[in-house]
Structures are given as structure tokens and as C-alpha cells.
């Protein structure tokens, strides 16, 4: 019989101890942090699922590449290797390094957009939206309808609604749409992939109106692997060949190398347009640095050059997608409501369904995050009313569209036993869910409040559904 067990395709050479704390300690730490896990020190966390960004474990080849890093201000060979590695996968004419993804976004929108423009995307990530709005343009999310139904299964829930895209361009006129973006995979929509069929259909509409198509490529390798698994005609192609095809339909991209670059810092911006590239490089020099390092050390460029290729390794991708689904499938089998099907980099628990007795205005996602911390030292992040809701001038809280709790899996960091532990903790909290209380805000910043907000438990009599 063929062996079915899928193993982590690496062995561990360097280890980092994680500190155990007692339940009582965690309860105290949580109250001191105002129930906001962003305000808890990482030393006090046992399993950190806050983000998959910059938390990757690098390989021996990446560390070796870092030693080859050349720190010349201009024309470093590290940049040549970085560009060559990106061009072999993505094929774009111009490659501009940046210190992370949002720097690429700021430069892209700064050069291409102006007040009154509209930028359609399947779903803008929060920094993408903020950078687009910062130049006065409208960031428009037009995912397919299934994207907003957590329990509905669809193989490519990250797809853009192409009928809506065509209608938007008709309505506002192509002149007001300087670019269209596709985020692969769709992070804010549950880590869900976009199909090649959808990429082609979006490109066709863009081409008809001479609008460039940009890909937010953060998780391009995970997206390519989902295409291999789920899209007819691609099962025999390698993830690299599929990625190359994805980028053939695009005119440029933004990238955070902190995700599928398998690095701890870095990003880049690509384009095929000479004039735009020149303007972007001019802006880059103003804040990021010279175009052959763009805010990064030479060694970072080398780590990314290697990481991008490792992220396309089929054994690695199989482990990555299977291990994320392992967490989702095990908690789902125990009854926990999650966004279905499991995404590539994270599992999203539907906190509103998990805690139906806590109204959205008492932050069920934040309350659930707090319980997972108290129960097992796990850190997750709310993507719901705290992040996307608003408190009006009269102090009335308006809920976000959904209350999700994201468990993001750092790449190559945790083993199956860590994940088994996470499953056990979540199922224990699930069993005692009826006793969990809602929260009320005691402090919020005027913008991006989720990073620094503070809470206390809400009085019990207010916690009605
Ligand atoms: N685009 C997407 C889809 C992202 O997920 C992120 C970051 C960015 C752009 C910005 O990149 O952080 O390098 O500036 N997402 C992280 C997360 C922060 O936790 O999902 P960055």
C-alpha cells in the first residue's frame, strides 16, 4: 500500500524555545493588555498565529545566500540575483525593490492614481485600501457573491465578479480606472484562490478598455498550487509553470516577500511600462532608497531570490496547503464554524456563529481571541467589527460585515503536534462557549483602532443576542 502520511518536508537544525505560562499568568497578562493580543509580548505567547507575514523560517540555502549578500549602494550583484529570480517567475520588464508590500503599494498608487479615480480589486487588503484612499481614489471590492458567505464552498472563492467589473468601467468610464487589481490569494476574503479562468476574463475586460491589470502577488505560489489542484487542465503543470501563466496576463504586480518570498522582510513592485517605471524609481529614491536596493540590505535581496523559488517547490506547497486544511478540517469536524473551504495561509473561524449570544457590538471575535489565549496561550487576530466596524459621533457602534477570527500559519515554523495542540484548545473553548462574555471598548484610536484598542468584559445583563 502506498504511504499516505504527509510529513513536514524539512528537518530542524536550529530551534527556538517557546515559553509556557500558567492560565493564571495569562489571565493577568490579558487584563493588563486590555484584552488586545497586539499588546501582549511575544515571549508570553505559546503558539503565535497572529500573522503569516515575516514570520517564515528560512532555509539553510537562504542563510547561505545571506552570507553572499553584497552591500554596495549601487549595482549590487545581490540585486541582479533578486531581479533574475523574479523575472524567471513573473516575467516583468522592471523590478523595483521595496522594504515591504505597502511601500510598493504607496509608490504604485502615488504614480498611477489621482483623486476621483476608482480601483477595482477582488478585495483590497487593508494597507492596499489605505494607500489607494490616501491619494483620493476609491478602493472598490468586487468579489464574487460566494466570497461573503462563510459556509458556502466554492473552489475559487477569491474570484472577481467580472460582470460587476465590466459594469463599473461602463459606469465611471475607463479614464477614471487607472488600473485593476487581483489579490492572490484573497487574504481579506479568507485566503481563497483566484482561478486562471478568472484572471483571463478580467484581463480581457481590461484589455478592451486599455486598462492595466496588476496582481497583488503576496501569496502567488499558494494560489498557483490551488489552481493545480482544482482547475481543469492544470493538474500536470508545475506550480512554477502555473505562476508564469498567471503573471503573463498581468502588466505589473506588487509583492510582500514576507509571505511567499519566505523571507522576514522585503517586497517589490513590477511593471512592463517604461515611463511608469521611471516615475516609480524617482519616487523610490525619495523615501525607500536607490533602485538596486530599495530600502533592503543586499542580504535581504539574496534571501528573497532563493525564497521565491523554494515557495514554488511542490513538496513544500503540498505540505503547506494540507497542513492549513488539517487545522480547518479538524476543528470543523468538532462543530466549529469556519470559512469554507480552508484557505492557503490561514483558517478563519466565524466568531458570530461560534458565539451567537454575544452581539457584534460586543466584539465576539475579540472575545474569542481572548479565550484562545487564556485557554492555551494561542495568539490569533480578529477580522471583524473591531477592524472594519465604526463607532459614530454619538458613541453608537456599527458592526463590520462579518466577525471572523483569523488563525494564520507561519511558513515552516510549527509541526503537526503544535497544530494538534491548537485543535484541542479550540475544541475546549468550543465546549464552554456559552459561558464566554462579550467585551466593551475602554479606549480606541481615531484610525486603525484594532492595533491599540483596549477592552473590559461587558456587564452580563447586556450580553443578549
Ligand atoms: N497585500 C496583502 C494581500 C497582504 O496580505 C499584505 C499584508 C499586504 C498587501 C501588505 O504587505 O505587510 O509587507 O506591507 N498582510 C499581512 C497580514 C500584514 O497579516 O495579512 P506588507
Amino acid at each position: 500500500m502506498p504511504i499516505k502520511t504527509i510529513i513536514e518536508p524539512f528537518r530542524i537544525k536550529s530551534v527556538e524555545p517557546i515559553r509556557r505560562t500558567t492560565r493564571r499568568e495569562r489571565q493577568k497578562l490579558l487584563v493588563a493588555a486590555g484584552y488586545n493580543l497586539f499588546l501582549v509580548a511575544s515571549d508570553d505567547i505559546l503558539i503565535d498565529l497572529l500573522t503569516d507575514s515575516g514570520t517564515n523560517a528560512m532555509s539553510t540555502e537562504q542563510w547561505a545566500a545571506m552570507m553572499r549578500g553584497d552591500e554596495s549602494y549601487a549595482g549590487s550583484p545581490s540585486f541582479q540575483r533578486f531581479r533574475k529570480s523574479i523575472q524567471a517567475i513573473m516575467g516583468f520588464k522592471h523590478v523595483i525593490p521595496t522594504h515591504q508590500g505597502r511601500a510598493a503599494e504607496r509608490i504604485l498608487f502615488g504614480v498611477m492614481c489621482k483623486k476621483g479615480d476608482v480601483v477595482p480589486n477582488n478585495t483590497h487588503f487593508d494597507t492596499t485600501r489605505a494607500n489607494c484612499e490616501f491619494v483620493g481614489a476609491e478602493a472598490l471590492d468586487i468579489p464574487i457573491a460566494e466570497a461573503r458567505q462563510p459556509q458556502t464552498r466554492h473552489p475559487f472563492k477569491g474570484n472577481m465578479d467580472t460582470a460587476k467589473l465590466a459594469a463599473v468601467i461602463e459606469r465611471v468610464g475607463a479614464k477614471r480606472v487607472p488600473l485593476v487589481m487581483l489579490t492572490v490569494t484573497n487574504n481579506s476574503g479568507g485566503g481563497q484562490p483566484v482561478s486562471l479562468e478568472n484572471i483571463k476574463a478580467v484581463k480581457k475586460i481590461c484589455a478592451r478598455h486599455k486598462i492595466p491589470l496588476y496582481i497583488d502577488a503576496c501569496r502567488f505560489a499558494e494560489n498557483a498550487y490551488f489552481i493545480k489542484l482544482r482547475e481543469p487542465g492544470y493538474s500536470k503543470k508545475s506550480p512554477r509553470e502555473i505562476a508564469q501563466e498567471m503573471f503573463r496576463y498581468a502588466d505589473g504586480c506588487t509583492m510582500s516577500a514576507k509571505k511567499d518570498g519566505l523571507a522576514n522582510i522585503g517586497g517589490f513592485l513590477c511593471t512592463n511600462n517604461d515611463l511608469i517605471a521611471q516615475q516609480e524609481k524617482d519616487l523610490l529614491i525619495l523615501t525607500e532608497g536607490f533602485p538596486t536596493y530599495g530600502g533592503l540590505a543586499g542580504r535581504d535581496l539574496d534571501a528573497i531570490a532563493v525564497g521565491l523559488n523554494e515557495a514554488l517547490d511542490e513538496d513544500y506547497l503540498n505540505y503547506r496547503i494540507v497542513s492549513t486544511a488539517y487545522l480547518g478540517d479538524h476543528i470543523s469536524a468538532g462543530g466549529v464554524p469556519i470559512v469554507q473551504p480552508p484557505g492557503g495561509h490561514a483558517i478563519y473561524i466565524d466568531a458570530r456563529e461560534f458565539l451567537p449570544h454575544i452581539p457584534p457590538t460586543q466584539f465576539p471575535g475579540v472575545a474569542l481571541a481572548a479565550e484562545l489565549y487564556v485557554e492555551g496561550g494561542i495568539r490569533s487576530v480578529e477580522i471583524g467589527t473591531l477592524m472594519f466596524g465604526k463607532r459614530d459621533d454619538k458613541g453608537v457602534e456599527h458592526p463590520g460585515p462579518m466577525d471572523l477570527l483569523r488563525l494564520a500559519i507561519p511558513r515552516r515554523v510549527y509541526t503537526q503536534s503544535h497544530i494538534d495542540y491548537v485543535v484541542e484548545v479550540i475544541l475546549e473553548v468550543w465546549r464552554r462557549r456559552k459561558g464566554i462574555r462579550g467585551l466593551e471598548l475602554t479606549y480606541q484610536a481615531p484610525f486603525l483602532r484594532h492595533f491599540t484598542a483596549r477592552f473590559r468584559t461587558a456587564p452580563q445583563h447586556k450580553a443578549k443576542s
Side-chain angles (χ1 to χ4, degrees):
M1 283 240 291
I3 303 297
K4 288 203 222 59
T5 307
I6 293 165
I7 59 169
E8 286 86 5
F10 49 80
R11 52 186 180 175
I12 296 162
K13 182 181 270 178
S14 173
V15 298
E16 204 176 359
I18 45 181
R19 194 173 82 85
R20 284 188 178 277
T21 45
T22 63
R23 189 186 192 96
R24 172 169 282 191
E25 276 178 295
R26 291 193 293 272
Q27 265 157 347
K28 271 198 188 149
L29 288 162
L30 187 68
V31 172
Y35 291 82
N36 185 346
L37 296 178
F38 276 109
L39 305 179
V40 174
S42 62
D43 273 353
D44 297 326
I45 306 284
L46 190 65
I47 308 274
D48 202 347
L49 307 182
L50 182 69
T51 180
D52 66 319
S53 181
T55 51
N56 305 308
M58 292 211 297
S59 66
T60 44
E61 286 305 317
Q62 283 179 293
W63 283 108
M66 285 188 85
M67 285 306 292
R68 277 192 296 275
D70 178 293
E71 304 303 341
S72 305
Y73 189 94
S76 152
S78 294
F79 176 69
Q80 309 295 337
R81 291 189 283 268
F82 174 81
R83 183 169 59 186
K84 194 169 160 215
S85 173
I86 294 164
Q87 284 178 332
I89 301 164
M90 306 187 174
F92 297 116
K93 191 168 172 196
H94 300 279
V95 175
I96 300 168
T98 58
H99 80 275
Q100 61 183 80
R102 66 198 71 183
E105 291 163 0
R106 192 186 61 81
I107 291 169
L108 175 73
F109 294 127
V111 167
M112 294 193 71
C113 297
K114 58 181 186 317
K115 200 168 176 341
D117 284 348
V118 178
V119 179
N121 196 330
N122 44 355
T123 310
H124 290 83
F125 180 66
D126 57 8
T127 59
T128 325
R129 166 172 294 279
N131 276 297
C132 183
E133 290 172 350
F134 189 72
V135 296
E138 182 191 345
L140 184 71
D141 293 342
I142 44 169
I144 55 169
E146 289 86 343
R148 295 206 169 107
Q149 303 155 6
Q151 322 285 330
T152 308
R153 281 181 175 268
H154 185 290
F156 292 102
K157 231 175 169 176
N159 283 354
M160 179 180 275
D161 186 329
T162 48
K164 276 195 185 150
L165 175 64
V168 167
I169 300 172
E170 278 313 315
R171 181 167 55 81
V172 306
K175 280 211 171 71
R176 278 181 57 203
V177 184
L179 73 155
V180 170
M181 278 192 107
L182 272 175
T183 305
V184 302
T185 58
N186 185 4
N187 183 11
S188 313
Q192 303 290 329
V194 178
S195 70
L196 254 164
E197 190 186 19
N198 192 249
I199 296 174
K200 283 188 219 173
V202 169
K203 174 64 186 180
K204 206 166 158 193
I205 296 168
C206 290
R208 204 184 303 144
H209 297 279
K210 298 199 167 56
I211 299 171
L213 171 63
Y214 275 70
I215 292 185
D216 177 338
C218 294
R219 299 174 181 88
F220 76 97
E222 290 170 10
N223 198 88
Y225 195 63
F226 277 122
I227 289 174
K228 182 179 170 75
L229 295 179
R230 296 181 185 170
E231 190 158 350
Y234 288 95
S235 64
K236 295 214 165 58
K237 295 219 154 113
S238 69
R240 171 180 283 272
E241 287 169 326
I242 297 170
Q244 286 164 335
E245 187 174 343
M246 283 161 47
F247 289 109
R248 263 206 295 281
Y249 299 102
D251 301 278
C253 77
T254 55
M255 172 77 187
S256 166
K258 300 172 77 173
K259 284 83 169 176
D260 277 350
L262 286 171
N264 301 122
I265 193 68
F268 53 88
L269 173 59
C270 294
T271 177
N272 285 332
N273 183 315
D274 297 340
L275 186 66
I276 299 267
Q278 192 53 56
Q279 290 171 348
E280 288 172 347
K281 285 180 197 169
D282 292 346
L283 207 51
L284 186 86
I285 293 172
L286 193 65
T287 55
E288 291 281 301
F290 192 71
T292 60
Y293 73 86
L296 293 170
R299 55 178 166 278
D300 298 326
L301 298 170
D302 269 305
I304 296 165
V306 174
L308 289 168
N309 291 313
E310 291 183 356
L312 284 168
D313 179 85
E314 209 165 318
D315 254 358
Y316 158 75
L317 280 168
N318 187 36
Y319 140 79
R320 174 76 178 151
I321 300 305
V322 166
S323 58
T324 304
Y326 180 90
L327 169 59
D329 292 344
H330 278 72
I331 58 173
S332 170
V336 176
I338 64 165
V339 173
Q340 293 283 7
H345 68 295
I347 294 300
Y348 296 68
I349 297 178
D350 187 343
R352 226 175 254 182
E353 280 273 312
F354 193 113
L355 300 169
H357 60 286
I358 300 180
T361 50
Q362 287 185 1
F363 307 97
V366 184
L368 183 55
E371 291 301 325
L372 297 188
Y373 178 66
V374 169
E375 190 64 48
I378 297 166
R379 175 153 67 176
S380 50
V381 70
E382 189 249 24
I383 301 197
T385 296
L386 179 62
M387 201 179 268
F388 294 118
K390 272 206 172 69
R391 177 154 295 205
D392 66 22
D393 297 343
K394 296 192 187 79
V396 178
E397 188 66 40
H398 298 275
M402 296 191 272
D403 277 291
L404 302 178
L405 183 73
R406 186 182 79 169
L407 304 151
I409 319 285
R411 292 168 185 77
R412 305 191 291 208
V413 170
Y414 294 116
T415 63
Q416 188 174 332
S417 68
H418 290 114
I419 300 300
D420 285 333
Y421 171 85
V422 173
V423 169
E424 193 180 336
V425 169
I426 294 172
L427 293 180
E428 181 52 34
V429 172
W430 172 246
R431 268 188 287 279
R432 60 173 180 79
R433 63 191 179 278
K434 292 205 171 92
I436 297 171
R437 309 249 306 260
L439 298 171
E440 55 185 30
L441 271 169
T442 58
Y443 167 75
Q444 67 161 6
F447 49 85
L448 292 171
R449 63 177 181 170
H450 50 287
F451 291 116
T452 52
R454 299 181 71 87
F455 298 87
R456 63 175 168 236
T457 46
Q460 206 132 33
H461 63 272
K462 278 195 194 161
K464 57 179 192 289
S465 56

